Amino acid sequence: MISTILLLGTILSTVPGRIEDVAGSVRRNVLLPIGQTLDRLLAPVDRALQPVADGYNRRLGTYFGEMTGLQFALIFGALIALLTAGLWAPLVSGSLLRTLALASIWAIFAMSWDIQSGYTGYISFGHSVLSAAAGYTTALLLVHVNPELSLWITAPISVLAALVLGLLIALPSLRLEGPYFSLITFVAVLLFYRLTTAFTSLGGIPGFSSPDVFTWDPTMRYYYMLVPMLLIALALTFMARSNLGMILVAIRENESAVSAAGINPTKFKIWSFALSSIPMGIGGVLLVGFTGNVDPHTFVIVDNSIEMIAMAVIGGMSSILGPLGGAFLFEFLNHEVLHGFSTPVRYLFLWGLVLLVLVFARDGLFRMIWHRLGAVRGENE
């Protein structure tokens, strides 16, 4: 029996090394040759587009990051595709516009999680509690105060509720180190879930509709979700490239060195959580407008927080635009490519994808593509 256990332990101890060997072999023998071939093919295109990218770099590169010709083409092409989706998406699939609208909301969640956890390294497992606070505040205002309240009244109050709850979680927990912060955020979302299910006055609020909150028109609903998402992406990208973003990255890399430099890491970690709470609240309000009702399963469960992390991992953490792309890929696969399969099968595939990304592309698929495009130069032709 002992020898069997020792043998099993020996086998298991070699598994991580073997996985790393396989991943390294794939990178050397598959990904590297593909990248070199693409370099030769795309280098002339990169040179042709570089003058346009240089014009952007001179005006906005300082604020949002400089780009090569191919990187500019990727961002500009994706932006045009999203802005014109109301025209072409219904022609591709009857449900595609709905999927893109839902992906816009989840992109807000993933980017919001990333500016806090991806940049500081303090992983939150309970970020869905912030969007839930905003969603339930909106619902309670409409159901129990006045169903005719304008969005311009309910939305700021709901976002404020998310911010207050975020600070209540951040103030005591971000002074801790190690896994304690993650555990506190995990417990927070569990407590909120039990709160919604324990009191019928809060849990299971019936569906409601208000023209000031959402519309059933699929095209208008899509743009209601898309425009805030794009504005949040711009704002968070600007913040991430500012001094605040650099300090957050420094905290992730070496918090002791940040303290030694005379900077209070706790203050900036609290700032990052507050900065994350505001777009999470906006996303919660949009999710109310998208679904037309509020319930614990849609807003509160821990699975939502885990999906935000999965989207950030797929796209590439600590990059803002990486989680945005990861959210759209995740939702497209879930609702368009795999829609014919049962929920367990769909999520088996999606979590398998997350595992593959962690093994073979640890920086995320979109960050890998971004850096690959940035490495293309004319001399590679």
Side-chain angles (χ1 to χ4, degrees), residues 185-360:
T185 58
F186 183 73
V187 171
V189 73
L190 293 179
L191 286 174
F192 197 98
Y193 178 79
R194 293 305 173 189
L195 175 67
T196 59
T197 55
F199 297 95
T200 56
S201 61
L202 292 178
I205 293 177
F208 63 93
S209 71
S210 170
D212 292 329
V213 175
F214 73 102
T215 175
W216 290 113
D217 179 76
T219 302
M220 290 301 299
R221 182 174 62 177
Y222 167 67
Y223 287 107
Y224 283 152
M225 309 306 158
L226 176 69
V227 173
M229 184 274 291
L230 294 177
L231 294 177
I232 288 172
L234 281 174
L236 291 182
T237 300
F238 177 79
M239 292 290 182
R241 294 192 57 81
S242 67
N243 291 335
L244 172 62
M246 290 189 290
I247 292 174
L248 297 182
V249 172
I251 291 173
R252 182 189 67 203
E253 299 299 326
N254 193 332
E255 188 170 343
S256 299
V258 173
S259 299
I263 299 174
N264 184 354
T266 300
K267 181 179 74 172
F268 283 94
K269 287 185 290 185
I270 293 173
W271 269 108
S272 72
F273 209 95
L275 181 61
S276 176
S277 300
I278 293 172
M280 283 297 300
I282 296 173
V285 172
L286 293 177
L287 190 57
V288 174
F290 182 84
T291 61
N293 69 281
V294 177
D295 62 82
H297 181 78
T298 304
F299 280 80
V300 189
I301 58 173
V302 178
D303 301 44
N304 290 352
S305 299
I306 304 302
E307 285 189 22
M308 297 174 202
I309 300 174
M311 293 169 182
V313 168
I314 291 174
M317 293 191 297
S318 67
S319 63
I320 302 300
L321 295 183
L324 188 160
F328 273 84
L329 178 59
F330 190 97
E331 292 301 312
F332 179 77
L333 291 175
N334 191 13
H335 296 288
E336 296 295 324
V337 177
L338 303 171
H339 70 280
F341 297 93
S342 64
T343 299
V345 173
R346 294 205 310 269
Y347 279 91
L348 178 64
F349 176 87
L350 291 170
W351 288 113
L353 175 62
V354 173
L355 180 60
L356 290 175
V357 170
L358 287 172
V359 173
F360 296 106

Side-chain angles (χ1 to χ4, degrees), residues 24-280:
S25 178
V26 170
R27 294 189 191 101
R28 289 190 303 272
N29 300 322
V30 179
L31 298 180
L32 183 59
I34 292 176
Q36 292 172 341
T37 302
L38 289 176
D39 283 350
R40 290 191 294 269
L41 293 175
L42 296 177
V45 181
D46 184 66
R47 291 200 302 271
L49 295 172
Q50 193 58 48
V52 180
D54 288 339
Y56 158 82
N57 291 336
R58 286 192 297 270
R59 293 172 176 81
L60 300 173
T62 303
Y63 306 104
F64 301 103
E66 295 187 354
M67 291 185 276
T68 65
L70 287 173
Q71 289 173 335
F72 181 83
L74 175 64
I75 294 296
F76 185 76
L79 180 60
I80 293 299
L82 289 174
L83 291 176
T84 60
L87 300 176
W88 58 263
L91 303 177
V92 177
S93 169
S95 62
L96 182 56
L97 206 57
R98 181 186 185 279
T99 299
L100 293 176
L102 186 60
S104 297
I105 299 174
W106 279 97
I108 294 174
F109 292 155
M111 291 186 293
S112 303
W113 180 90
D114 188 55
I115 195 64
Q116 195 282 313
S117 296
Y119 275 79
T120 66
Y122 280 74
I123 305 300
S124 169
F125 290 111
H127 246 52
S128 61
V129 73
L130 303 176
S131 59
Y136 270 91
T137 300
T138 298
L140 292 174
L141 287 172
L142 292 173
V143 174
H144 296 293
V145 177
N146 184 354
E148 301 300 325
L149 282 176
S150 168
L151 178 66
W152 299 107
I153 297 176
T154 60
I157 297 175
S158 301
V159 173
L160 179 62
L163 176 60
V164 170
L165 181 59
L167 291 176
L168 289 176
I169 296 172
L171 287 173
S173 60
L174 284 171
R175 299 178 183 275
L176 305 175
E177 296 182 358
Y180 297 103
F181 168 75
S182 299
L183 290 174
I184 288 177
T185 58
F186 183 73
V187 171
V189 73
L190 293 179
L191 286 174
F192 197 98
Y193 178 79
R194 293 305 173 189
L195 175 67
T196 59
T197 55
F199 297 95
T200 56
S201 61
L202 292 178
I205 293 177
F208 63 93
S209 71
S210 170
D212 292 329
V213 175
F214 73 102
T215 175
W216 290 113
D217 179 76
T219 302
M220 290 301 299
R221 182 174 62 177
Y222 167 67
Y223 287 107
Y224 283 152
M225 309 306 158
L226 176 69
V227 173
M229 184 274 291
L230 294 177
L231 294 177
I232 288 172
L234 281 174
L236 291 182
T237 300
F238 177 79
M239 292 290 182
R241 294 192 57 81
S242 67
N243 291 335
L244 172 62
M246 290 189 290
I247 292 174
L248 297 182
V249 172
I251 291 173
R252 182 189 67 203
E253 299 299 326
N254 193 332
E255 188 170 343
S256 299
V258 173
S259 299
I263 299 174
N264 184 354
T266 300
K267 181 179 74 172
F268 283 94
K269 287 185 290 185
I270 293 173
W271 269 108
S272 72
F273 209 95
L275 181 61
S276 176
S277 300
I278 293 172
M280 283 297 300

